[in-house]
Amino acid sequence: MNEGHGYVFEVDPNDPENKLSKTPIRDMGAFSHEATAIDPVTGYVYLTEDASKSFLYRFIPNDTSKKPGALQKGGKLQAAAIEEVGNTNASSFNQGQKFGIVWKDVDPEKPTLEAEQKGCIIFSRLEGAYFAGGVFWFDDTSAGDARKGRVYRYIPATNTLELFYESSDANDLESPDNICITPWGDLWIAEDGADSDRMIGLTPEGEV
């Protein structure tokens, strides 16, 4: 991430040099953005932070029409926290654990600072993001006891966060990055580690 800014842009693929494409969406926060994913039902945008101390954010647009330029109309930026728990570090989570989530408003000009001050969940280094079937999937590339990576899922309908999978063996998964859902329901994960990288499949049952 270029430390000169740290914003989200909406780029028009038909006119990538127009004013819209070049205008940062400041209400979506100034931080080391990695990925975004949009809930097609609500229009809410989920954002991951790629930093040594990462937080999970969502952006609630003032205009949820999902039309080009709608995000430029501003909105509210929030960071994820666990209900009735402050200063939570995700390193203490165990595979299969589920948590009720609350979203805390943060200043888009200093979201990382405020997220920490408000006791939001601290992740190791968040990477890929994908929304499908009412579930938001994201991964943490250096998390877990073995530091090989984790995959999380958040379900907006129940406001529940689950540590879906944690790798303990580099042969299974190491340094997960980009992530998506296949038409048949498996996760596909691109690795981005120090050694050779692979495309890894992860079934709905959590099998590599």
Side-chain angles (χ1 to χ4, degrees), residues 50 54 63 101 116 128 142 176:
D50 183 0
S54 298
D63 181 349
I101 293 297
E116 184 171 12
S142 58

Side-chain angles (χ1 to χ4, degrees), residues 12 24 49 53 59-60 64 123 134 139 155 164 167 175 179 193:
D12 182 347
E49 182 173 21
K53 186 177 289 184
F59 176 70
I60 302 177
T64 57
F123 296 91
D139 51 33
I155 302 175
F164 180 74
S167 179
S175 303
I179 188 171

Side-chain angles (χ1 to χ4, degrees), residues 53-117:
K53 186 177 289 184
S54 298
F55 296 92
L56 176 66
Y57 302 92
R58 77 174 180 184
F59 176 70
I60 302 177
N62 292 329
D63 181 349
T64 57
S65 67
K66 300 182 286 293
K67 295 179 179 179
L71 298 176
Q72 291 286 359
K73 297 179 182 179
K76 182 186 298 183
L77 185 66
Q78 300 177 319
I82 295 176
E83 291 178 334
E84 301 178 1
V85 177
N87 299 315
T88 301
N89 196 307
S91 63
S92 64
F93 297 174
N94 296 313
Q95 184 168 313
Q97 267 192 300
K98 298 179 181 179
F99 305 91
I101 293 297
V102 292
W103 293 93
K104 298 188 177 183
D105 295 349
V106 292
D107 184 343
E109 294 301 318
K110 48 182 179 180
T112 303
L113 176 63
E114 285 210 349
E116 184 171 12
Q117 290 176 341

Side-chain angles (χ1 to χ4, degrees), residues 13-207:
N14 297 312
D15 191 2
E17 296 298 323
N18 67 10
K19 182 178 180 181
L20 173 66
S21 300
K22 294 181 177 182
T23 304
I25 306 171
R26 293 182 178 273
D27 278 4
M28 293 181 78
F31 60 88
S32 294
H33 290 274
E34 173 66 27
T36 63
I38 299 176
D39 183 339
V41 175
T42 63
Y44 291 4
V45 184
Y46 293 87
L47 311 100
T48 58
E49 182 173 21
D50 183 0
S52 57
K53 186 177 289 184
S54 298
F55 296 92
L56 176 66
Y57 302 92
R58 77 174 180 184
F59 176 70
I60 302 177
N62 292 329
D63 181 349
T64 57
S65 67
K66 300 182 286 293
K67 295 179 179 179
L71 298 176
Q72 291 286 359
K73 297 179 182 179
K76 182 186 298 183
L77 185 66
Q78 300 177 319
I82 295 176
E83 291 178 334
E84 301 178 1
V85 177
N87 299 315
T88 301
N89 196 307
S91 63
S92 64
F93 297 174
N94 296 313
Q95 184 168 313
Q97 267 192 300
K98 298 179 181 179
F99 305 91
I101 293 297
V102 292
W103 293 93
K104 298 188 177 183
D105 295 349
V106 292
D107 184 343
E109 294 301 318
K110 48 182 179 180
T112 303
L113 176 63
E114 285 210 349
E116 184 171 12
Q117 290 176 341
K118 293 187 176 185
C120 296
I121 305 168
I122 299 173
F123 296 91
S124 296
R125 212 180 96 225
L126 296 183
E127 292 283 350
Y130 199 83
F131 202 104
V135 179
F136 171 58
W137 296 88
F138 64 102
D139 51 33
D140 194 334
T141 194
S142 58
D145 291 342
R147 308 292 291 174
K148 300 303 180 186
R150 288 173 165 181
V151 176
Y152 291 88
R153 63 180 171 185
Y154 168 69
I155 302 175
T158 58
N159 217 25
T160 304
L161 175 68
E162 178 186 0
L163 172 50
F164 180 74
Y165 177 81
E166 177 177 327
S167 179
S168 59
D169 187 340
N171 291 317
D172 291 335
L173 176 67
E174 183 176 22
S175 303
D177 197 308
N178 294 333
I179 188 171
C180 71
I181 295 284
T182 65
W184 54 91
D186 292 346
L187 282 171
W188 271 18
I189 306 166
E191 294 183 322
D192 185 12
D195 300 316
S196 58
D197 297 317
R198 306 162 296 177
M199 292 293 297
I200 301 294
L202 190 61
T203 70
E205 294 75 34
E207 296 294 330

